Structure formats: C-alpha cells, structure tokens
Amino acid sequence: MRTNYEYTLSDEEFLRILRDHQSKQPNSVPGYPAIQRIPAILTIEEDGISVASPNGNATFFWRGIVSVEEHEDSISLLLENDLFFPIASMAFADAAKRDAFLAHVRERIAPVAIAPIPEADALAIPVPAPAPVTPPVPNLQQNIGNAFRFAFFARVAEEKMPVSWGQVVSFTLLSMAAPVAWSLVALRGDGYWNWTSLPDATFHVPVLLFAAVLVGHALLRVEKTLALLQAFLMIAFAIDLIYYTLFFAFYRLPDGIDASPAFAVAYYGCAIWLALACAVAAMRLTSANITGMTATTRLVLLLISGLCIALPLSTINRDRSLWEKDYRQEKEVAPVARNDISSEDNFYRQPILLEQELAAVRPQRKGVTDAFFIGVAGYGNEDVFRREIDSVAKLFRERFDAEGHTIRLINNPKLAASAPIASVTSLRASLKRVAEVMDTEEDVLVLFLTSHGSETHRFSLELWPMQFKELDPLKLRSLLDESGIKHRVVVVSACYSGGFINALKNDDTLVITASAPDRNSFGCNNENDWTYFGRAYFDEALRKTFSFTEAFELAKPVIAEREKKEDFKPSNPQMSVGKNIGATLERLQAQLADPTLRAAAAESAGKLKSTADAASRYAALRFDREFISQSVKVCKTAAQTSGPEVIVAAQPDAYGGLNANSPLWPQLVGAWQRYIDEVCDRTNDPLMLQTMYAKFLREAATPQDVNAMQQFADTTAGTSRLKTEKITDLRMTAELARIQTEYQTRHYKTFLDEQQRIYAAFQSGLKARK
C-alpha cells in the first residue's frame, strides 16, 4: 500500500493536539514549538511512514511507532520517548479515508516490537512533548573542547554546543590571538601594535561568514547560519593553535636543517584541513544522519569549503599578526618636499646627476691594478643602506686607492636632489662607464649592493613613487656580461642573497652574500649606520686586511656571534671564489700593502691620457662631494650667527616684541632654518659650482695649462695638494664668518642708534613741513 496525503497543520490544531497529549502524558519530556506548520506530504511506505517538507525528510518505521491517537479533528502518531507526530485532518478527503488510514497504521504497528528509531533529518524530527526547559548557558571552555572535536572530524551533539553572538565574538578574538602570541614570543616583546594590519588579521572572518551563509542557503537551512559561522571560527582557532605550535617547533630546529618544505606543507595543509573540517561540521549541523545525505549534497559542501575557504586563505599573502617588529623604531622617514623625487626639478635633475657622477670617474693607471667601486643602495625608506654605501665608498677611496674610481647609486628621498638614483638603468650606465675607463684585463670591479631581499631572490629597488625594473640574479649577470668587465668582486647584502651565487659565479668572479638562499640577514634598522654583515665585513674585517676572501673568513664568526646574542636564526653568509680571480686580487692586495709598488707602476706607465674634458674633471676634483658637504655645514653654522636669537639679543623689538617667550617663536625659528637650508644647499650646488669653475678655468688658463693641472691632480702629490687647498678654504670660510659676525655684533648697536636718530630727525622734518 503506497498512499500520499498532503496537508498543512494550523497553529490551533497543533496546540490542541499538544494539550491533549500532555494531559495523557503528564511526565513527558519537555517539548518545542511545532515544526510541521508548513506544507507537508505524508506517504505510507512498505517499511513505515515518510514525511517530506521544505525543511527536510524523515521516515518513521513501523517498529518505532507506539500507537496512533484520534483527536477531535486530527490524528497524532505516538513515538518512542514520549515523542509524537501530529497529522492535520485536512490530509484526508473524507472520514472513510481517515478511518482507512487509522486501520492500516494500527494493523502494521500491532505485532511490531518497539525498537530504536534510526536517526532522521535534524529539521524533520518529531516534536517532543513540552515541559519547562532551561536554555543552555554559553560556555566558552566547553566550546573550546568542541573546537578540537570539530577539527578532528568528531561529532559534537548540538545541545552540547552553546551558540550565541557572544561565542562568535569570542572565537573571532581567539582566532586572532595565536599569530599575535607567536609574534610576541618570537620578537620577545620588541615591537609595536600595527593596527593597519587589522584587515589582514581578520580576513578569515568574512571568508568564513560568506561560507556559512552560502551553506545555509544551499541546504535550505538558513536558521543554522549562526551555528555554522561559530563552528567554522572554532575550527579555525583550533587549527591555528596547532599550526603555530608546529611553527615554533620548526623554528627551533638545529642549524643546518632546512625547514622550508615543512613550513610550506603546514601552511597549505592547514588551509585544506580547515576546509574539510568545516565541510564535515556543516554536514553534522544540518543533518542528523550524514550517511543519509545524497552524494550531490556532500559534493556541494566540499565545493563551497574548497572554493570559499581553502582557496582564498591559502593563496592570499597576509600578515596575520598585529604585533610587528619596529625596524625603524617608529621613526618614519619624513618626506622632504624639496628632495622628493616626484618634484619636477629633481625628476629632471636626475640625468644630470648621473652624468656628473659618471664623468667624475677617472681613467685607470697603466701598469697598476686599480679597484673601481660601484655602490648600490636599493631601498629608499631606510637610511641604513645610504649610510652603508657612503661609508664603504669612503673606505675604498681611502684604503683601496679608489679616489676618482667610485660611483654611488642611492635610493633615498633625502638625496633625490644630490645623488643619482639606484635603478637597473643607472647600474647599466655605471658599469658601462667603468668598462670605458678601466683596463678590463688588469683592473677589478667591486660591486656592492645593499637593500632588502625576497625569498624569490629579488633585490629591492624602491623609491616611492617611482616604479623600477626588477633586479634578480639573472638580470644582474646579464648587466655584468654586457659591460665586458672581466674581473669582478660582487658583494650582495640582503635577505636570501645567497640565491645570487649560482647565477653570478664564474672563473673570474668572487661572489659574497650576506646570507644563504633561504635565510634572512639582519641589522636593517633605520637608526643603524651598518647592517650586521656590512659592519663585520667592511667596517671591521677590510680595515685589517686587503684580501676580500680573508675578510670574509674574519667577518663570518663575528656575524654569527652577534646573531646568536640577539637569538636570531643564523644568516649563514656565503662565498664563491672563481679559480682565475685569485691572481688578480693578489696583485691588488700586494700594491695596496706596499704603496711604493703603486707609485713605481704609475710612473713607468707615463702620463695619463684623459678622454674627458680636463677642466670639467679638475672642477669635479676641486668641488668633490666631501668638500661640498663640508661647505654646506660651514654655511649653515655661519648663518646661525645672524639668526632670530642674535637679532633679538641686539634689538629686542626687532620683531615687534616677538621673542623666545612667545608661543609663535618656534614657527619663526623654523622659518629661518628652512630659509638657511635652502640658501646654503642652493649656493653649494655641486653641479653649479663645478660648471662655473670649469668655465672660469677655461677662460683663465690655456688648454695646455689645464691639462697640466689635471695631470698633476692625478698624482699623489697633486691629490695631497688639492686636499690641503680644500681644507684651507673651508677653514678660511669659517673663520671669515666668525670675524664678520664679531664685527657685526660689535657695531650693529651703533648702527641701530644712528638709524633711530636719523629716523627721528626725518619724522621731525615731516611735522615741520606740515
């Protein structure tokens, strides 16, 4: 017998059946509101009665039906555990149909022993009898345990998982806590709260919310959305806790063990784990019997979890911690408007600065193994790289006899108006210039690059808002080969810089890197003068030896000791020595260790043959970078002697009564300082001074005299004389400024008195004419 009955149970019918049932079963189990007050189709099957509705399906087997009861105008099936299922009268066309239904049900259930009822769909289970019930109290500790049960695919009884918005908020915060706790431990509290990372830290919340809403709608269980969201957040919290525990274990592995594959497996594996655990939890929360779910429903849940949870959380790179290391000690580099690379003046000035930097490179000396230095400071937002390049360039000029053989390429907003930027284009031009003036078979190029680096072995070239071409190992090798320079010493100081070695090494190249291909290097702090590698290798080791390879061996344990003291994972600096580069470096080392060898070699080679204009090159020597820098300092120091403080001291009412006690005084002093900075910088512009000097030199001297001056300047005696002249000029300028201030101070009051007397006489004359 297979018969279908369609009906909708009204509220009045349900309440009437409920009261009747309660009067007959006074000790029944507490009940809940009716759930079948929507259209339903009741079907008599061979093995029981099935009910289908938009909320789901259920089957009541004959062995689970205790009895059937008649009411005034409805019927209820009495089930196990005091449960009952109501059927509206409208399900039957007439009384005969109703009597036939009752007779059939009683016939089928009479001989059947009571047996447990199989689990039914969660939303289609019969309604238990009512009684006072105490709603479950949300319990965070209980749900933390449930979180791990969900994570490991275990069943969690719905009544044992308190659901509330408070729980959702709690697990949202807990799911953010693990990465923050890890950062606090790893950085030992040395950091700051970076609230700008909040969108990254909470990105998983809208992802899981979207997945919960989608699951609820896909399964027609919208009322379960809050429970689904809470369960997903609970699972995320549990898996995060396990992930960061593993992360800490990997981090503490002994040196020499590469944990990168383990990190990758854990990262992607946890995203897949989260998606699968969420899918299983969704199945259990929306259906009392997973095995009864259709294959299509399971596939839908897996697709939603994979596409909406695993995919975004595993492919979007985000910084989940709000506690970050303050590399710049929270002192941002304040952009200075007049030095901003985006300003029109500085933008168009850059080609001139590069041309000037390259023109100042002098030709090599015949018979001498010269060292040519190119320094590249790539990252513009931290001053440590600029300072490091300046210091290493000075070291090579003073200790490695590279005066006139150095080029600096620097990304830094403070130097946008005075130094050429570091880019692939400027590096190519610098290599080309060095190749033009050096003997490629005799001389050595020392290329030093310092910046941040990436795990994909990209050397950072950044100066906002400029967009530079990428510099990676293959590109750098291409630039070096293109230049034709044979003997190369390439030093790369950056995180993961060991990835440059394989691409750069050859028989005529020495490659040194600050770290292994999979390791960080350290010391990139805005307040530092050196990185850890730079200080140990250049500032300490190369001041003790002229050997680049020996300096590396001296620096390596020093770096390791500093990193150990700071509890950093060792950077493991790397070195690759070409089999033919050794002889060239030994010649350079011997010359540097014995200056007489250099002088003899230079003298035997004869006079230099300059390919550049002698006047321009002499002007570049006369007004070099160090001299200009000192001139600016002298100018600013001298200007302070006529500042607002001095003026008010001599004439208290000079600013109408405004003085150091006035609230607006700092603004006046600041305006004066900006005025002096602008005047001193502009009047000591190196390009302007060199151009003017070269012009006047050509007008005042014959070409033969200028050539003779240039040739003399290239000798040791000439270099010493130029240095002496520059020191003398600076001292003269400073002393004249002091004397001028002294006389101004002494006679300024007399001038003011006379000025007042003359002004008074002028006013008297005006009154007399009136």
Side-chain angles (χ1 to χ4, degrees):
M1 176 182 180
R2 179 179 177 86
T3 308
N4 291 342
Y5 300 92
E6 297 186 13
Y7 70 95
T8 300
L9 187 68
S10 68
D11 289 342
E12 292 78 8
E13 289 175 307
F14 173 76
L15 291 174
R16 186 162 47 251
I17 296 171
L18 189 63
R19 285 193 296 270
D20 189 52
H21 179 81
Q22 192 171 13
S23 65
K24 296 178 181 178
Q25 302 286 340
N27 298 321
S28 60
V29 178
Y32 298 93
I35 59 173
Q36 290 297 330
R37 281 172 273 174
I38 58 175
I41 299 175
L42 184 145
T43 304
I44 297 180
E45 307 278 1
E46 180 62 32
D47 53 354
I49 298 175
S50 65
V51 180
S53 75
N55 282 344
N57 304 325
T59 298
F60 308 123
F61 297 96
W62 298 120
R63 65 179 179 274
I65 302 175
V66 177
S67 64
V68 59
E69 296 182 350
E70 295 183 70
H71 304 280
E72 182 178 346
D73 56 357
S74 59
I75 295 172
S76 63
L77 300 176
L78 198 62
L79 310 174
E80 251 190 333
N81 299 325
D82 291 326
L83 298 176
F84 72 97
F85 186 80
I87 304 172
S89 298
M90 66 176 296
F92 310 103
D94 50 37
K97 293 284 187 181
R98 179 183 178 193
D99 293 341
F101 172 79
L102 288 169
H104 182 74
V105 171
R106 286 169 179 157
E107 179 185 351
R108 294 302 303 266
I109 67 175
V112 179
I114 302 299
I117 304 174
E119 291 183 358
D121 190 299
L123 283 177
I125 61 173
V127 182
V133 87
T134 303
V137 178
N139 189 313
L140 183 61
Q141 183 177 354
Q142 179 182 354
N143 271 340
I144 288 176
N146 289 335
F148 287 94
R149 282 188 281 274
F150 272 134
F152 287 98
F153 308 101
R155 177 183 295 279
V156 176
E158 193 169 357
E159 63 274 11
K160 292 184 179 180
M161 188 188 84
V163 177
S164 69
W165 281 109
Q167 294 280 303
V168 168
V169 172
S170 297
F171 278 99
T172 296
L173 296 175
L174 285 173
S175 65
M176 295 165 55
V180 172
W182 159 250
S183 294
L184 287 170
V185 171
L187 300 177
R188 297 189 173 185
D190 181 20
Y192 72 106
W193 289 106
N194 183 10
W195 296 109
T196 60
S197 294
L198 192 59
D200 282 349
T202 58
F203 176 73
H204 65 291
V205 179
V207 167
L208 296 178
L209 174 60
F210 179 74
V213 171
L214 205 57
V215 168
H217 280 79
L219 301 183
L220 300 178
R221 303 301 301 273
V222 178
E223 74 280 2
K224 290 289 186 180
T225 301
L226 181 60
L228 290 169
L229 173 60
Q230 179 177 313
F232 292 174
L233 287 168
M234 291 163 60
I235 297 169
F237 156 70
I239 292 177
D240 269 351
L241 206 57
I242 296 170
Y243 171 75
Y244 280 98
T245 301
L246 292 174
F247 195 101
F248 184 78
F250 292 151
Y251 184 79
R252 305 298 295 180
L253 286 174
D255 296 340
I257 298 179
D258 184 10
S260 300
F263 282 129
V265 170
Y267 180 78
Y268 293 106
C270 284
I272 297 172
W273 180 11
L274 173 62
L276 290 175
C278 288
V280 173
M283 294 178 192
R284 297 191 187 282
L285 289 173
T286 56
S287 175
N289 185 9
I290 293 182
T291 58
M293 270 191 170
T294 65
T296 302
T297 302
R298 296 181 194 176
L299 180 61
V300 167
L301 286 175
L302 289 173
L303 285 176
I304 292 175
S305 298
L307 296 177
C308 298
I309 298 178
L311 185 63
L313 294 183
S314 64
T315 57
I316 296 177
N317 186 24
R318 56 197 178 103
D319 186 357
R320 297 190 56 197
S321 177
L322 299 175
W323 183 261
E324 297 182 1
K325 183 171 179 61
D326 188 5
Y327 287 101
R328 295 176 292 178
Q329 301 296 317
E330 293 191 278
K331 293 182 179 179
E332 298 288 342
V333 178
V336 182
R338 61 187 176 85
N339 284 338
D340 187 355
I341 189 64
S342 63
S343 71
E344 185 174 351
D345 289 344
N346 293 335
F347 181 78
Y348 283 104
R349 184 179 176 80
Q350 273 298 316
I352 301 174
L353 291 173
L354 179 60
E355 182 179 352
Q356 172 192 340
E357 187 82 9
L358 301 184
V361 180
R362 302 202 302 264
Q364 63 91 226
R365 296 161 293 186
K366 295 297 181 183
V368 176
T369 299
D370 283 310
F372 286 80
F373 173 80
I374 299 177
V376 179
Y379 190 69
N381 291 333
E382 290 178 338
D383 288 342
V384 61
F385 305 115
R386 168 183 65 84
R387 297 190 190 106
E388 197 162 64
I389 288 297
D390 283 342
S391 298
V392 176
K394 183 179 179 182
L395 172 70
F396 271 79
R397 288 195 300 269
E398 296 176 350
R399 182 168 170 77
F400 286 82
D401 198 23
E403 184 68 49
H405 293 164
T406 64
I407 296 174
R408 300 178 317 144
L409 306 176
I410 297 177
N411 287 336
N412 192 286
K414 296 177 181 178
L415 300 183
S418 58
I421 59 177
S423 66
V424 170
T425 301
S426 61
L427 178 56
R428 175 185 282 112
S430 299
L431 292 170
K432 180 181 178 182
R433 171 59 178 166
V434 168
E436 289 173 349
V437 297
M438 76 183 314
D439 186 329
T440 56
E441 295 296 326
E442 182 178 73
D443 299 326
V444 177
L445 165 70
V446 179
L447 174 60
F448 174 45
L449 303 100
T450 179
S451 183
H452 289 300
S454 71
E455 294 181 69
T456 56
H457 307 134
R458 264 52 175 183
F459 181 83
S460 179
L461 294 173
E462 292 187 30
L463 181 60
W464 190 89
M466 300 292 290
Q467 294 292 323
F468 295 117
K469 297 177 182 177
E470 283 192 342
L471 183 61
D472 56 26
L474 293 177
K475 185 63 177 179
L476 182 57
R477 174 62 182 265
S478 173
L479 293 176
L480 288 165
D481 290 347
E482 178 186 314
S483 71
I485 297 173
K486 182 178 180 181
H487 304 299
R488 312 164 184 172
V489 175
V490 183
V491 183
V492 185
S493 177
C495 293
Y496 311 106
S497 51
F500 279 75
I501 287 184
N502 287 337
L504 299 181
K505 66 181 182 182
N506 65 25
D507 292 346
D508 297 300
T509 300
L510 167 64
V511 186
I512 295 174
T513 64
S515 65
D518 60 344
R519 294 295 179 90
N520 288 301
S521 57
F522 304 97
C524 304
N525 188 302
N526 194 56
E527 302 301 315
N528 289 347
D529 291 329
W530 296 89
T531 61
Y532 283 12
F533 173 83
R535 180 180 295 280
Y537 184 72
F538 290 104
D539 193 41
E540 296 174 1
L542 277 181
R543 294 191 187 279
K544 300 174 183 176
T545 178
F546 294 108
S547 169
F548 296 108
T549 55
E550 183 182 349
F552 178 81
E553 299 301 336
L554 291 173
K556 193 172 182 179
V558 174
I559 297 169
E561 182 62 29
R562 286 175 182 163
E563 292 171 343
K564 182 179 180 181
K565 183 178 180 182
E566 297 293 333
D567 200 24
F568 292 146
K569 197 168 186 178
S571 55
N572 292 343
Q574 306 286 299
M575 179 170 67
S576 170
V577 185
K579 64 181 181 180
N580 298 334
I581 189 71
T584 304
L585 295 181
E586 287 175 4
R587 287 199 306 272
L588 175 63
Q589 183 180 351
Q591 290 178 182
L592 294 172
D594 186 357
T596 58
L597 294 178
R598 296 202 305 276
E603 185 176 354
S604 64
K607 295 182 178 180
L608 296 173
K609 295 183 179 180
S610 173
T611 57
D613 176 74
S616 296
R617 290 197 295 109
Y618 187 83
L621 292 174
R622 180 64 179 78
F623 295 95
D624 63 6
R625 186 178 299 104
E626 186 175 355
F627 177 77
I628 293 296
S629 176
Q630 294 298 321
S631 296
V632 171
K633 290 181 181 179
V634 169
C635 174
K636 293 180 179 181
T637 301
Q640 296 303 325
T641 60
S642 57
E645 295 90 346
V646 177
I647 292 176
V648 169
Q651 186 181 7
D653 62 343
Y655 299 107
L658 181 66
N659 55 43
N661 297 322
S662 304
L664 295 177
W665 182 257
Q667 295 186 26
L668 177 64
V669 173
W672 169 262
Q673 188 61 54
R674 287 191 292 275
Y675 159 71
I676 291 305
D677 288 347
E678 188 70 19
V679 169
C680 291
D681 287 342
R682 295 304 181 189
T683 56
N684 286 280
D685 181 279
L687 186 60
M688 178 189 72
L689 292 177
Q690 291 175 11
T691 302
M692 289 173 55
Y693 190 87
K695 178 178 179 293
F696 297 150
L697 185 59
R698 293 188 197 98
E699 294 173 353
T702 64
Q704 292 78 9
D705 290 339
V706 174
N707 282 328
M709 293 170 61
Q710 174 58 49
Q711 292 171 2
F712 176 68
D714 284 332
T715 66
T716 303
T719 301
S720 177
R721 178 174 176 177
L722 268 178
K723 184 176 181 179
T724 302
E725 286 182 357
K726 287 184 281 191
I727 294 174
T728 303
D729 285 351
L730 290 172
R731 291 180 177 176
M732 282 285 292
T733 301
E735 184 63 16
L736 285 173
R738 186 193 66 79
I739 294 172
Q740 185 178 17
T741 301
E742 179 184 337
Y743 277 95
Q744 283 179 339
T745 303
R746 184 182 303 171
H747 298 290
Y748 188 56
K749 188 64 171 64
T750 301
F751 164 72
L752 291 177
D753 292 341
E754 291 185 8
Q755 174 183 284
Q756 187 62 32
R757 179 181 57 78
I758 294 170
Y759 181 71
F762 172 69
Q763 291 292 332
S764 298
L766 288 178
K767 291 179 181 179
R769 284 195 292 272
K770 291 180 180 179

